[in-house]
Amino acid sequence: MSLPAYFLCDAHLGIDPPGCVPDREAKLVSLLESWKGAASHVVIVGDLFEFWYEYRYYVASAHMELFRVLAELVKSGVEVHLLQGNHDFAYGDFFPKNLGVQVHKELVLEIQGKRMYFRHGDGVAKSDRGYRFLRKILDFPLNRWLFRQIHPDTGMKIARFVGRNSRKYGENNIINIEEYLEWGNRILKKKDCDICVHGHHHIQGIWNVENGIVASPGECIKKPAFLRMENGGLKVESF
């Protein structure tokens, strides 16, 4: 019998918004520790951090325990993957080089006889049109170089300020889950996959669509949850 696989997303570590679970990063670290040597795959489907920008000689010291447990997961034989999200798309080589964690924009894996497609999910809904334009500006090479010239502490303050305001704006947005299901149905056919796992909208669920299954782990902020896959089936679990 194969080991279970686990998928989670949208932890947004680095902030503590109103209503969030106390000590949630420590709880997440404990959860990851429990999977050492006891899982085949762990896939973090984007927005692990509220903000991530990779400098050559600097990493966020607040997350050292998280870095440790990710490296130990890999050493225990677990295949660990990290997807870029809309809050943490600026990864460099720190995770693959120092922790053994593979970083992707999108990912296809064969797990328990199922062909699975993973992507964070930002920009796929038609209502995300404004975000897609903003992402091009933020990810433009010159703009990323200019941000690198700012001291990391100052850059983090700026990012948190922008994040707080964008979060307040986003709280009033209405999520049209059908847009995500329609996209997931199309991507299943395009990529010839059985299951599509994404995040971004923070809604947990497993939905049957024409071309397979679309699933979302939910979030790890107010109602921390993840997807467990065993014997080819998916289940949402809380922690």
Side-chain angles (χ1 to χ4, degrees):
M1 183 181 294
S2 61
L3 293 172
Y6 298 97
F7 319 121
L8 57 87
C9 64
D10 290 293
H12 293 270
L13 300 178
I15 59 164
D16 292 310
C20 73
V21 172
D23 302 318
R24 60 195 185 88
E25 184 161 349
K27 289 181 172 66
L28 177 58
V29 168
S30 294
L31 178 70
L32 294 170
E33 282 187 318
S34 73
W35 294 341
K36 287 192 294 187
S40 62
H41 299 75
V42 171
V43 183
I44 302 170
V45 196
D47 281 359
L48 176 59
F49 302 100
E50 174 68 9
F51 171 73
W52 180 272
Y53 190 88
E54 200 154 311
Y55 296 87
R56 186 175 299 173
Y57 303 113
Y58 164 86
V59 292
S61 60
H63 307 298
M64 295 306 293
E65 281 297 292
L66 176 67
F67 301 150
R68 174 191 60 79
V69 76
L70 288 173
E72 290 178 355
L73 267 174
V74 174
K75 288 180 180 178
S76 75
V78 181
E79 192 174 310
V80 183
H81 298 270
L82 176 62
L83 276 290
Q84 297 173 343
N86 55 305
H87 282 257
D88 55 0
F89 59 84
Y91 289 110
D93 63 1
F94 172 74
F95 279 86
K97 184 177 179 180
N98 296 282
L99 307 181
V101 175
Q102 303 173 55
V103 178
H104 318 265
K105 181 177 180 180
E106 60 179 358
L107 173 67
V108 175
L109 291 173
E110 188 87 20
I111 304 177
Q112 300 173 16
K114 303 291 185 180
R115 185 171 162 86
M116 304 187 67
Y117 176 83
F118 298 88
R119 183 171 170 175
H120 181 57
D122 53 301
V124 303
K126 295 178 181 178
S127 55
D128 258 359
R129 190 178 297 111
Y131 163 73
R132 289 196 292 269
F133 176 73
L134 178 62
R135 173 66 176 269
K136 289 180 179 179
I137 295 174
L138 295 174
D139 211 15
F140 188 67
L142 176 60
N143 292 334
R144 289 184 63 168
W145 181 86
L146 288 172
F147 191 86
R148 186 185 291 274
Q149 310 315 304
I150 300 173
H151 189 281
D153 290 344
T154 303
M156 182 62 74
K157 289 179 181 179
I158 294 172
R160 286 179 172 174
F161 173 79
V162 173
R164 281 196 303 270
N165 286 279
S166 65
R167 188 175 299 280
K168 290 177 182 178
Y169 172 78
E171 286 174 353
N172 297 320
N173 288 348
I174 298 174
I175 302 297
N176 184 352
I177 197 68
E178 291 299 325
E179 289 186 322
Y180 291 90
L181 297 181
E182 289 169 6
W183 163 78
N185 192 45
R186 291 194 304 270
I187 207 72
L188 286 169
K189 184 176 182 179
K190 180 179 179 181
K191 300 292 184 178
D192 190 26
C193 288
D194 304 298
I195 301 172
C196 170
V197 178
H198 72 91
H200 184 56
H201 53 47
H202 294 201
I203 300 171
Q204 61 179 237
I206 301 169
W207 299 271
N208 291 304
V209 295
E210 181 181 358
N211 295 315
I213 293 173
V214 177
S216 173
E219 42 86 1
C220 300
I221 304 173
K222 298 180 180 180
K223 298 179 180 179
F226 59 90
L227 287 171
R228 176 188 176 101
M229 185 174 186
E230 197 162 16
N231 300 322
L234 285 173
K235 181 182 179 182
V236 177
E237 296 190 1
S238 301
F239 71 95

